[in-house]
Amino acid sequence: MEGVDANDKYAKELEVGVRVVQLACRLCQKVQKGSIGPTPDQVFSKDDDSPVTVADWSVQAMISWILSESFGKQNVSIVAEEDTQALSDSNSTRLLASVVATVNESLAMAPRFGLKGPTTSLGPTQVLEAINHCNSTGGPIGKHWVLDPVDGTLGFVRGDQYAVALALIENGQVVVGVLGCPNYSSKKKLVNNSSVSKEGCVMYARKGSGEAWMQPLACEGGTHVVWPNSATRIRVSSIDDPSLATFCEPVEKANSNHSYSAGIAYTLGLRKQPLRVYSMVKYAAIARGDAEIYMKFAKAGYKEKIWDHAAGVVIVEEAGGVVTDAGGRPLDFSRGVYLEGLDRGIVTCSGAILHDKIIGAVYASWESSHL
């Protein structure tokens, strides 16, 4: 597979990661079409009012099971977004049945993706165990997989952009990142809300390689997925003039300070309207040169989680970009589930020149807003 050196320390992790994310993207597409699982269209609210679907739980269970089979369950630590609280409720029998059916139909496709599936179907207890195995809190020591099974669930529900994000952290450093973007075409440029494509892509990178790669999603036809899967190398944009730059920001206003971002954009001289995109597809857009800047400034009280950034950060960096907090410091993935110690927000750029200008604009804007 392009981008995977057989002698590389993380060769197996990267290859299994790409294959399982390809399979997860197929699962999500089938759920969206209603062609997998008995009740795929149900959307539920978690305690923080964010949405969760059958796809979220099913992807988490499936990836957890595959990683445990590939590397040994005792060796696999996974930090992930979902838990089984809602699924374990006595009133959730139909919901759990839907997740179990979806997981099994997905795992039945595993051999086509070069992965080993179970010899017999998983039962409800095994599916719940697989989801619950993702109970690590990460930290500075050892290897931890970090998973957001459906990043941008609102985008998923609305048929817009969303991502399956899987990363590997070792001793606090993100060393592997895989980002599946089922509605982000591997051929067409991303534009606001008219960008949805059924062609999809998966991006991946290994820290220190200086390379990031993109491959199209495996198509429905054919009997087996052949690897390497026509991967192409991706690079960030060479634009370093703010007046020509395209700026990404989250769609949701609930935990993002759009007005502060707009002030920085004005100070910086950004002329284009911001590209509002669901999920970590924003990182994907920077990595392959569809946009130059992604800024996120959280509203007071909101804490960024590592699964919302880990995979995207390493892919952007290996594609030639720069990711720091708004004080210019690298993001710290060694302190558990949250990006602790974050200075104001996150700044992602296609290069150092733009990055320096943005950090300067952040300080100027911050000082003027606190006079």
Side-chain angles (χ1 to χ4, degrees):
M1 184 165 65
E2 285 95 336
V4 177
D5 180 346
N7 298 315
D8 176 61
K9 182 179 178 185
Y10 302 107
K12 185 178 180 185
E13 287 90 344
L14 185 57
E15 183 167 341
V16 170
V18 172
R19 289 174 186 266
V20 79
V21 168
Q22 281 269 6
L23 177 55
C25 289
R26 175 68 61 80
L27 183 161
C28 290
Q29 288 178 321
K30 283 180 168 288
V31 169
Q32 278 197 316
K33 290 177 187 172
S35 62
I36 189 170
T39 52
D41 56 340
Q42 294 179 350
V43 182
F44 304 88
S45 286
K46 294 191 279 192
D47 291 342
D48 62 358
D49 291 331
S50 61
V52 60
T53 69
V54 166
D56 295 80
W57 285 303
S58 300
V59 167
Q60 185 161 313
M62 184 273 289
I63 289 182
S64 171
W65 192 89
I66 293 279
L67 292 179
S68 293
E69 285 296 303
S70 301
F71 301 102
K73 191 172 182 179
Q74 71 282 2
N75 302 319
V76 172
S77 165
I78 307 173
V79 184
E81 181 164 17
E82 307 306 338
D83 59 39
T84 59
Q85 190 173 344
L87 285 178
S88 303
D89 189 279
S90 58
N91 298 319
S92 301
T93 311
R94 285 186 64 213
L95 173 60
L96 179 57
S98 182
V99 171
V100 171
T102 306
V103 169
N104 281 314
E105 287 182 57
S106 180
L107 286 173
M109 295 186 282
R112 285 198 51 213
F113 290 80
L115 298 163
K116 186 181 174 186
T119 51
T120 57
S121 295
L122 304 188
T125 302
Q126 291 167 294
V127 169
L128 290 171
E129 279 176 3
I131 296 170
N132 282 329
H133 187 58
C134 306
N135 61 356
S136 171
T137 53
I141 306 299
K143 285 185 182 179
H144 308 286
W145 291 92
V146 178
L147 170 65
D148 194 334
V150 180
D151 181 49
T153 301
L154 268 179
F156 172 79
V157 170
R158 294 171 181 174
D160 207 304
Q161 297 297 342
Y162 66 99
V164 177
L166 181 65
L168 180 64
I169 292 176
E170 183 166 29
N171 298 333
Q173 295 286 316
V174 185
V175 293
V176 167
V178 186
L179 205 50
C181 310
N183 285 340
Y184 187 13
S185 172
S186 59
K187 300 168 187 170
K188 298 174 191 165
K189 198 169 173 67
L190 184 71
V191 292
N192 261 333
N193 296 328
S194 58
S195 54
V196 173
S197 159
K198 299 309 171 193
E199 293 161 347
C201 64
V202 172
M203 298 184 187
Y204 55 92
R206 176 184 57 77
K207 186 175 181 65
S209 66
E211 298 176 344
W213 298 83
M214 175 178 70
Q215 58 182 208
L217 280 193
C219 60
E220 289 267 6
T223 56
H224 199 86
V225 174
V226 178
W227 301 87
N229 191 16
S230 49
T232 53
R233 193 172 167 189
I234 51 175
R235 293 290 296 168
V236 294
S237 162
S238 58
I239 291 172
D240 56 19
D241 179 350
S243 67
L244 301 176
T246 298
F247 157 42
C248 283
E249 66 179 1
V251 177
E252 306 92 336
K253 297 179 182 178
N255 52 40
S256 303
N257 192 332
H258 282 174
S259 59
Y260 184 65
S261 297
I264 292 170
Y266 179 80
T267 303
L268 200 61
L270 291 172
R271 300 283 173 259
K272 295 186 179 181
Q273 285 294 308
L275 204 59
R276 289 191 174 161
V277 184
Y278 289 103
S279 81
M280 262 189 274
V281 169
K282 292 180 282 290
Y283 281 110
I286 304 290
R288 61 176 260 193
D290 275 359
E292 287 73 38
I293 299 166
Y294 162 36
M295 295 186 285
K296 185 179 181 192
F297 298 95
K299 290 189 173 175
Y302 181 81
K303 293 174 75 173
E304 298 287 351
K305 288 120 183 146
I306 59 173
W307 54 67
D308 287 325
H309 301 281
V313 167
V314 70
I315 291 168
V316 165
E317 288 177 341
E318 298 307 316
V322 181
V323 187
T324 67
D325 68 13
R329 299 176 306 185
L331 306 188
D332 185 354
F333 289 94
S334 72
R335 295 170 66 181
V337 171
Y338 298 102
L339 286 172
E340 303 285 2
L342 201 61
D343 186 346
R344 287 165 287 191
I346 294 171
V347 174
T348 303
C349 293
S350 54
I353 293 173
L354 267 182
H355 181 264
D356 289 347
K357 290 177 179 176
I358 292 174
I359 298 299
V362 167
Y363 275 100
S365 176
W366 193 261
E367 285 170 11
S368 65
S369 69
H370 286 77
L371 289 176

